[in-house]
Amino acid sequence: MIGESATPPARVNRADSTSGTRVPVLQRQLRDFAVAAAIALLIATVAFVAVRNTELRARQTELAMRTAEALVDWRPPLPTVRGVFVSPALPSKKHPMLRHRRIHDYDSAWRPLGGLSMDPTHTDDKLFYDAATRFEQLPALEMVEMMRDGSGRAIAAKATCTGPKKNCNVAIALTSPASPAPFPWLVIIGVLGLGAAIAAAGALIGNTAARAGMFAGVAVLAVPTMLWHAWIAATAILVIGAAVALAQRIQLTDRFATGLSKNRAALSFVAPAGAAMLVLVAVPFAIGIFMGFYDHHAGTWTFVGIDNFVEILSGGGRPLDDALNFWFILGVTVLWTLCNIVLHVSIGVALALLLSRKWIAGRGIFRMLLILPWAIPNYITALMWKGMFNGQYGAFNSILRAVGLDGVDWFTSWANSFAPNVATNTWLGFPFMMIVALGALETIPRELYEAASVDGASSWQRFRHITLPHLRPALGPAVALGSIWTFNMFNVIYLVSAGKPGNSTNILVTDAYRWAFERGERYGMAAAYGTVIFLILLLWTVFGTRMVRRKGDE
């Protein structure tokens, strides 16, 4: 027909019309998968390291113990394991206080253990001597542990008789160095590629398939952990996949990515501090909580659940007045904190009131001198005060003797040991409260005092109704912060009284240290103690802050 165009209508390219939506969807899907995959790979790496170290430990300790048992039965050691017999420690003929041992391999004669020798077979003599000494101190008739030199070697010891171990030869087996399995890079690359392909396929289909593809893609990364029988890690990865899919459903990932893009400049300033906090605070904190569910013995970590926490909170079956009972230590810690805070605030406020008087000459000099105890490192101050409390040469006993009194036996009773701790920490803590109080006093208008004086108010009434209400908002946070510092004041307790007498003046933080380094390296128990301390301080911070705010409002 005339007027109608002879040109056929143009075909719409469906690929072009949908490319504007498909490409961004695919990009978002791969972006979310990359974040989830990074977290999943971190979990998988930790699981792999734990599994391979456990397998290496189990393999090496089994080889060492099998060789030790073979030596006891007078059978030759395994080819890759060195087996020896070590004699009991015998006194020297010339110097009875010195003891020596003898050693012989399975197919050689007895010889002195140790000494100077160029024989390469004698390089492990010290290891055998130390192993025999540790074995004799244990109640069991066999011992096996990993060497702590990072060589992957294991050493086992077994008595060759059923009598007292100090009279028996010891069969000791030392495995050859071994390395853990290498990281499976090809497996990880393969599952990453497969997971990314599944996630991308779901995005191309769209709608529910995109979220299902995200979950399936992340779930693929859990397959290696399942093969390693790391079920906790596998479950964690599956939870991450489900969480990311759910976040996509409510468009949380898109909003988060948009926020990052809009605030890129601000985040670039925050990122360095955030990374430092993550590495120095968050990660050690998480590891500490995780360690609290394990028990450490002879280089081996064993999952014990909440046993460490049960032992702590139950007092370990000890009487309530036992110095190792948690509740006794908590009571000492609370009393220690209360005494110090009361003295810190009282002395600090009193000095602040004195130094705020205009008629005192040289106030700046006095302020500088009174700040020095706080400026000096606390461990130096603790050592100085410990010297002053020395029973024979200390300054305090010298003063007592100079005025005709008897010296005090410091650190021999609980009260005589607790008092030096409090005195030392009071010297360290009052300057902080003094500085806070001085700052608060400077903000009080002079007109209030003048008006109160005209009305006939006494000094006590002016302090009670003017000074104290203005000090409370400043002292509240300072008291909360000082309480936390005092609650965890390790240096004073450890350096001044060292827990004497009989660990009775230990506080929670020093007791946690002793569990880690003085009571069989029970790092799990120490970590559990740290978690309990954190929860106590968290409760105090929350409720203490509310009480301070309520008082301020009143």
Side-chain angles (χ1 to χ4, degrees):
M1 295 178 60
I2 299 174
E4 293 186 295
S5 173
T7 305
R11 294 183 60 187
V12 178
N13 190 331
R14 297 183 61 86
D16 293 340
S17 65
T18 58
S19 62
T21 58
R22 284 189 178 181
V23 172
V25 169
L26 181 60
Q27 290 178 349
R28 291 197 297 269
Q29 184 82 339
L30 293 179
R31 176 201 66 200
D32 297 344
F33 175 80
V35 175
I39 301 174
L41 287 180
L42 178 62
I43 296 173
T45 301
V46 173
F48 174 76
V49 172
V51 168
R52 75 172 186 177
N53 290 346
T54 302
E55 290 179 349
L56 175 66
R57 184 184 301 111
R59 183 173 66 252
Q60 291 292 87
T61 54
E62 181 185 4
L63 285 175
M65 184 52 67
R66 284 171 53 193
T67 301
E69 293 173 349
L71 291 174
V72 172
D73 297 334
W74 200 248
R75 289 183 284 113
L78 298 176
T80 59
V81 184
R82 184 183 176 190
V84 299
F85 293 95
V86 177
S87 70
L90 302 175
S92 172
K93 295 180 179 179
K94 295 178 62 177
H95 306 284
M97 296 297 295
L98 302 178
R99 294 178 175 272
H100 66 276
R101 298 179 184 271
R102 297 178 63 80
I103 182 175
H104 83 83
D105 289 88
Y106 176 77
D107 54 356
S108 64
W110 288 94
R111 62 174 178 81
L113 178 58
L116 299 176
S117 175
M118 300 302 294
D119 192 332
T121 62
H122 296 180
T123 56
D124 295 326
D125 280 8
K126 187 179 187 306
L127 298 179
F128 293 130
Y129 188 97
D130 293 342
T133 302
R134 290 197 305 274
F135 174 68
E136 290 179 352
Q137 296 172 352
L138 297 176
L141 295 178
E142 61 183 31
M143 175 195 77
V144 61
E145 61 186 27
M146 294 293 295
M147 300 297 300
R148 301 184 183 182
D149 55 2
S151 62
R153 296 181 295 176
I155 192 166
K158 190 175 180 65
T160 58
C161 64
T162 57
K165 291 194 294 183
K166 64 180 181 179
N167 299 327
C168 295
N169 293 332
V170 183
I172 301 180
L174 180 65
T175 62
S176 300
S179 300
F183 191 79
W185 290 107
L186 295 179
V187 174
I188 296 300
I189 293 174
V191 295
L192 267 178
L194 179 59
I198 294 174
L204 293 175
I205 297 173
N207 298 328
T208 305
R211 295 187 290 274
M214 174 61 66
F215 174 75
V218 177
V220 169
L221 303 179
V223 173
T225 60
M226 295 178 183
L227 297 177
W228 303 330
H229 301 286
W231 303 113
I232 296 178
T235 303
I237 294 175
L238 293 176
V239 169
I240 290 172
V244 173
L246 179 62
Q248 285 185 326
R249 178 182 176 84
I250 60 177
Q251 297 182 350
L252 182 61
T253 57
D254 291 337
R255 293 200 298 269
F256 184 75
T258 302
L260 290 179
S261 178
K262 289 183 177 179
N263 301 284
R264 187 178 303 170
L267 291 174
S268 65
F269 291 102
V270 177
M277 291 292 291
L278 177 67
V279 175
L280 300 177
V281 178
V283 173
F285 177 74
I287 293 174
I289 294 178
F290 185 74
M291 287 172 57
F293 297 95
Y294 282 79
D295 181 58
H296 177 270
H297 177 70
T300 302
W301 292 89
T302 305
F303 181 77
V304 295
I306 62 173
D307 287 355
N308 288 331
F309 298 93
V310 171
E311 182 177 348
I312 290 173
L313 298 178
S314 65
R318 303 177 183 88
L320 194 59
D321 59 350
D322 191 291
L324 296 181
N325 187 297
F326 167 78
W327 299 104
F328 178 87
I329 303 169
L330 178 61
V332 173
T333 307
V334 172
L335 180 62
W336 153 261
T337 305
L338 287 176
C339 291
N340 279 283
I341 292 301
V342 169
L343 291 172
H344 291 171
V345 174
S346 301
I347 297 175
V349 171
L351 290 174
L353 291 172
L354 184 62
L355 292 176
S356 64
R357 297 293 182 262
K358 302 295 185 181
W359 49 266
I360 296 181
R363 289 185 301 161
I365 298 176
F366 286 118
R367 290 181 182 183
M368 181 191 68
L369 293 176
L370 290 172
I371 290 174
L372 284 179
W374 190 44
I376 298 174
N378 55 29
Y379 69 90
I380 295 177
T381 302
L383 292 175
M384 292 168 55
W385 279 75
K386 182 178 182 179
M388 290 192 291
F389 281 106
N390 183 278
Q392 186 174 2
Y393 305 107
F396 291 105
N397 277 356
S398 298
I399 294 174
L400 292 174
R401 295 189 186 100
V403 297
L405 299 177
D406 294 332
V408 178
D409 292 331
W410 306 106
F411 312 120
T412 58
S413 67
W414 186 88
N416 288 349
S417 186
F418 188 75
N421 290 338
V422 173
T424 304
N425 200 60
T426 299
W427 176 260
L428 286 168
F430 80 83
F432 174 70
M433 296 297 176
M434 183 190 71
I435 294 172
V436 173
L438 277 172
L441 289 173
E442 295 293 335
T443 64
I444 303 176
R446 295 288 108 187
E447 293 80 4
L448 294 178
Y449 291 107
E450 295 173 358
S453 300
V454 171
D455 292 338
S458 64
S459 299
W460 167 249
Q461 289 174 329
R462 291 196 299 271
F463 173 78
R464 179 183 176 186
H465 297 289
I466 298 177
T467 305
L468 194 58
H470 284 81
L471 285 177
R472 188 178 292 134
L475 286 178
V479 168
L481 187 59
S483 300
I484 295 174
W485 289 344
T486 304
F487 198 92
N488 285 327
M489 181 51 72
F490 173 86
N491 287 345
V492 171
I493 301 296
Y494 187 78
L495 295 176
V496 177
S497 72
K500 296 176 183 178
N503 294 316
S504 62
T505 56
N506 275 331
I507 59 175
L508 290 177
V509 66
T510 56
D511 200 60
Y513 172 86
R514 298 188 191 282
W515 278 112
F517 301 106
E518 297 179 5
R519 299 172 187 166
E521 298 181 348
R522 296 193 62 182
Y523 300 126
M525 178 65 74
Y529 252 91
T531 303
V532 172
I533 293 171
F534 167 75
L535 293 176
I536 293 173
L537 293 177
L538 179 64
L539 291 175
W540 160 244
T541 302
V542 172
F543 291 105
T545 303
R546 289 183 179 179
M547 288 188 294
V548 170
R549 187 182 299 116
R550 189 179 302 115
K551 290 289 186 181
D553 294 339
E554 293 175 358

